[in-house]
Amino acid sequence: MRNLPTLAALALPLLLGLAPATFAQVADVRQDATAATRARQTASLGTLDVNAPASFEDARRGLIATPSGQVCNAQGQVVWDFDALQFAQGEAPATVHPSLWRHARLNQTPGLYQVREGIWQLRGFDLANLTLIQGRTGWIVVDPLTTQETAAAALAFARQHLGAQPVSGLVFTHSHVDHFGGALGVLTAQDAKARSVPIVAPVGFMEEATSENLLLGPAMSRRAGFMYGSQLPRDARGVVDNGLGMAVAVGRIGILPPTVLIDQPTQALDIDGVRFVFHNVPGSEAPAEMVFELPDLRAFGAAELVSQTLHNLYTLRGAKVRDALAWSRYIDSAIAHARRADVVFLQHGWPVWGRERIDTFLTTQRDTYRYLHDQTVRLLNAGLTPGEIAEAVQLPSTLAAQWASRGYYGTVKHNVRAVAQFYLGWFDAHPATLDPLPPVEAARRYVALAGGADAAVAAARQAFDAGDYRWAAELLRHVLLADSNNAAAKDLMARSFEQMGYAAESAPWRNFYLTGAQELRHGTAQRNASGPRAAVADMLMQTPIPQFLDAMAASLNGPRADGVRLAVALRFTDAEENHGLWIENAVLHHRPGTPPWPADATLLLTKPAFLRLMNGQATPQELAASGALRMEGDAQALRQLMGMLDQPVRDFPIMTR
């Protein structure tokens, strides 16, 4: 049982990918922007005015108070640093795309804001916003951020400036962790039960919230560290923004099960004296998501259906592709709903006020996703490949001129690839790509064809000097796949990534490039997993056992299990829940009840003990000694099963093999 994979490593990459990490103390060898990059920055915006005042006025409208200092956890570790996240001032430096710098200036305005009478938002306390709606007896909290620490700090800040009120309702707009993870920071389970506080969420919320990334946690975790730039310095040559907000907090996360599910397309509900009209929009930005009207307050809560940026149809950390056509249709419906509102407030970024501006904002968001969908489909039907479509499609001038349609988070290039993937999948129909050589073998042959590694690096250096960083990186990718120790290739690729990062308008693209440069120079950061294991404990307690068993089955080493036939029974002594596990045809199956033939071994334990075991927080021997675990049957069968489960690789190489 020593080889049992830890499920904290199989879940929640927003925690694990952003876990604290350390590099050896090294000199700062980051480069400045080259002349070619500076020229690109100057030409990047055309006639757009990054200093136009309207958005800056909106971003600060209704400001009541600004926080400062840090938010720390119970151990004194910094979870959120207000002061470190407010450095984007004045004109953009050459190392940041001027449009992204503008967006960072707008996001770097943390504070308590009044949206309108009866509605406030806490912005800049985490990646998302926490919204407060005045009820008859207290505040209805919408989306309590990612962590308990930042959510508690946001609520305390509101009480400091608005007066103390209890939480009289809790609304989760959708199933992403930055919108529910801080629930226990604003409302304890005991208090919610004692006062019968309504907890409202869209149908499917718990299933999606607890399963998000569970199966692919290690891969998504590794990629999330790149996407959010979690190990980069926060400065003009590192992380300046994350597109949807300044950063993602790293702290303790949890969840509260909903007491009211919105399971109809449109559903009215009274929450503490406030009339809500909810509209389900599943499969848009999240698998379970809803927006809502507040008719008496003439306001519309848009959740993450619309944002102050082009969103992702495919997120670079990895996830299922989203449906652009359905998304645009949901926004079209929202236009009609929002025509009764004077303000549309978002769960990322700042609100939009005024009937005409609301209509323009929603219309252009709708048409942006529909344009990307339709043009990709048109070009697919003309025989173009996803890569060719990514080079060909640009937003029309009317949409490109809208700041909220620009690619600070999603981009036109990777979103059109997502549409192609949604409909046609990975294969481009060229027979040569049906069964290509694996990357390392292909790279070795390309390098040989180029005349050896030195010749390939020399060609890449010529491309770099000419400002052709994409081609330089492509050449160097082959060199490093063929020989991961080539120091000259590592240095030049790092410099190429750096310049592409500086020129990127998208925050995730910038973070990917700059994190790649950092790892090429300094190696992979050492992340301490003990913090994330404890941080996700509250969340994992709400995760159904079958989801853990799915992840467990996906870690079975198939070749090692070839020819093995065994069965294990799990009996949970703190609940009427039993599960049978068995290996058949090198597949680990599970189902409620018992296995299809008599179990070789039976494990009797509580769910908390099971989680401690699966998280590596306790050994079987320790649990058995404490009485939390009892085993019946053949101990060798259990050891055999556990010995066939692969440990996840947390920090696998990305740029080398």
Side-chain angles (χ1 to χ4, degrees):
M1 295 177 69
R2 292 190 302 273
N3 295 326
L4 186 64
T6 60
L7 288 195
L10 296 176
L12 301 170
L14 283 181
L15 239 296
L16 294 172
L18 305 179
T22 57
F23 288 95
Q25 292 297 315
V26 293
D28 188 350
V29 295
R30 295 178 296 169
Q31 305 293 299
D32 203 350
T34 63
T37 299
R38 291 172 185 269
R40 287 192 176 98
Q41 308 290 47
T42 300
S44 62
L45 290 177
T47 60
L48 295 175
D49 181 5
V50 294
N51 294 311
S55 294
F56 292 93
E57 292 168 358
D58 283 350
R60 297 191 67 83
R61 179 172 172 173
L63 178 63
I64 295 171
T66 301
S68 61
Q70 299 172 326
V71 177
C72 296
N73 62 18
Q75 292 72 44
Q77 299 165 323
V78 176
V79 172
W80 191 256
D81 192 331
F82 292 106
D83 300 335
L85 291 165
Q86 296 183 68
F87 58 84
Q89 306 293 331
E91 295 300 311
T95 55
V96 185
H97 191 291
S99 177
L100 179 60
W101 186 258
R102 169 195 174 275
H103 194 66
R105 288 169 60 198
L106 291 164
N107 277 333
Q108 291 181 14
T109 54
L112 170 64
Y113 293 82
Q114 184 169 32
V115 175
R116 61 159 302 136
E117 185 177 354
I119 304 175
W120 300 266
Q121 284 189 319
L122 285 303
R123 301 184 210 134
F125 283 74
D126 206 321
L127 186 70
N129 301 333
L130 186 152
T131 300
L132 299 175
I133 299 169
Q134 184 64 63
R136 183 175 56 250
T137 64
W139 283 323
I140 302 158
V141 174
V142 180
D143 289 358
L145 308 183
T146 310
T147 76
Q148 296 177 35
E149 293 89 348
T150 51
L155 189 61
F157 193 74
R159 285 171 171 158
Q160 176 186 345
H161 295 281
L162 301 177
Q165 292 195 53
V167 172
S168 59
L170 184 58
V171 174
F172 300 127
T173 64
H174 60 291
S175 54
H176 289 156
V177 68
D178 52 323
H179 298 266
F180 67 79
L184 297 176
V186 300
L187 184 66
T188 67
Q190 296 81 2
D191 188 30
K193 183 177 180 180
R195 296 193 292 113
S196 299
V197 176
I199 303 170
V200 185
V203 65
F205 169 79
M206 280 299 288
E207 294 82 356
E208 297 296 343
T210 56
S211 69
E212 171 80 353
N213 313 320
L214 187 62
L215 283 174
L216 275 298
M220 291 186 184
S221 169
R222 181 78 168 102
R223 294 160 61 120
F226 275 67
M227 178 172 173
Y228 295 104
S230 58
Q231 315 308 336
L232 295 173
R234 302 188 185 284
D235 59 30
R237 289 186 293 171
V239 172
V240 298
D241 195 70
N242 267 302
L244 289 176
M246 294 185 288
V248 182
V250 181
R252 194 173 183 94
I253 69 171
I255 198 168
L256 287 169
T259 61
V260 180
L261 285 178
I262 304 302
D263 57 5
Q264 300 300 311
T266 295
Q267 190 170 333
L269 185 67
D270 182 290
I271 305 176
D272 193 28
V274 178
R275 281 201 303 146
F276 285 74
V277 180
F278 292 100
H279 304 281
N280 262 314
V281 291
S284 54
E285 188 271 339
E289 186 153 359
M290 64 186 184
V291 297
F292 58 88
E293 299 175 67
L294 297 169
D296 299 329
L297 296 175
R298 296 188 61 81
F300 186 82
E304 213 166 325
L305 184 66
V306 290
S307 302
Q308 295 287 0
T309 172
L310 173 62
H311 213 300
N312 286 314
L313 296 176
Y314 164 77
T315 178
L316 301 181
R317 66 176 170 85
K320 296 175 183 177
V321 173
R322 297 159 185 172
D323 186 342
L325 183 57
W327 198 334
S328 67
R329 286 173 173 166
Y330 286 135
I331 300 175
D332 188 56
S333 297
I335 292 171
H337 305 321
R339 287 198 171 123
R340 298 183 281 271
D342 298 324
V343 61
V344 170
F345 59 93
L346 318 175
Q347 291 309 113
H348 290 281
W350 54 97
V352 179
W353 289 271
R355 176 68 268 131
E356 183 176 341
R357 294 177 66 199
I358 289 171
D359 198 65
T360 298
F361 173 68
L362 294 178
T363 298
T364 53
Q365 286 270 293
R366 175 200 65 189
D367 292 349
T368 297
Y369 297 109
R370 187 61 188 258
Y371 184 87
L372 296 180
H373 172 274
D374 291 355
Q375 296 310 303
T376 303
V377 170
R378 177 179 67 86
L379 294 175
L380 285 172
N381 284 324
L384 273 68
T385 65
E388 292 169 328
I389 296 171
E391 292 297 315
V393 172
Q394 294 183 353
L395 291 179
S397 59
T398 51
L399 295 176
Q402 300 294 322
W403 292 111
S405 291
R406 298 190 72 87
Y408 303 116
Y409 196 53
T411 69
V412 169
K413 282 194 170 184
H414 78 251
N415 276 345
V416 299
R417 288 178 183 268
V419 176
Q421 180 180 333
F422 184 86
Y423 286 113
L424 295 183
W426 62 269
F427 182 44
D428 65 3
H430 195 296
T433 63
L434 186 59
D435 187 23
L437 289 169
V440 172
E441 179 60 27
R444 288 173 180 156
R445 299 189 188 195
Y446 277 118
V447 170
L449 185 65
D454 290 345
V457 171
R461 185 169 289 111
Q462 285 185 329
F464 180 92
D465 292 341
D468 193 356
Y469 307 122
R470 291 172 69 189
W471 177 235
E474 175 66 19
L475 289 169
L476 295 164
R477 181 175 73 90
H478 291 302
V479 175
L480 285 175
L481 284 175
D483 177 10
S484 62
N485 295 315
N486 190 307
K490 280 187 175 182
D491 175 69
L492 190 56
M493 180 172 261
R495 291 164 58 197
S496 300
F497 283 166
E498 206 163 45
Q499 298 306 314
M500 288 191 282
Y502 292 162
E505 187 175 21
S506 163
W509 280 40
R510 175 186 175 91
N511 294 341
F512 255 92
Y513 285 132
L514 298 185
T515 300
Q518 179 171 267
E519 287 203 359
L520 285 166
R521 286 168 172 155
H522 306 306
T524 304
Q526 298 301 307
R527 291 183 292 165
N528 181 359
S530 61
R533 286 177 187 167
V536 299
D538 294 328
M539 178 70 185
L540 295 180
M541 275 301 298
Q542 299 296 335
T543 302
I545 293 294
Q547 291 181 7
F548 289 115
L549 299 181
D550 280 339
M552 187 174 174
S555 70
L556 182 75
N557 187 309
R560 201 181 304 160
D562 193 4
V564 173
R565 179 180 172 88
L566 63 82
V568 172
L570 291 177
R571 295 181 184 173
F572 292 95
T573 56
D574 58 343
E576 294 183 1
E577 188 173 358
N578 299 323
H579 292 272
L581 287 72
W582 73 99
I583 294 179
E584 188 174 15
N585 296 319
V587 175
L588 177 57
H589 301 274
H590 68 87
R591 68 184 183 193
T594 61
W597 62 82
D600 299 285
T602 298
L603 209 61
L604 297 91
L605 73 174
T606 63
K607 183 176 180 180
F610 176 73
L611 292 180
R612 291 182 64 207
L613 182 66
M614 299 300 275
N615 289 334
Q617 294 174 312
T619 66
Q621 294 78 11
E622 289 170 340
L623 291 175
S626 69
L629 179 152
R630 184 161 56 91
M631 191 182 67
E632 299 175 350
D634 183 3
Q636 178 58 34
L638 197 57
R639 283 192 291 270
Q640 183 183 12
L641 169 62
M642 299 311 173
M644 290 183 288
L645 301 178
D646 280 354
Q647 287 279 4
V649 181
R650 296 178 59 247
D651 294 314
F652 53 80
I654 287 180
M655 291 157 292
T656 59
R657 284 293 183 265

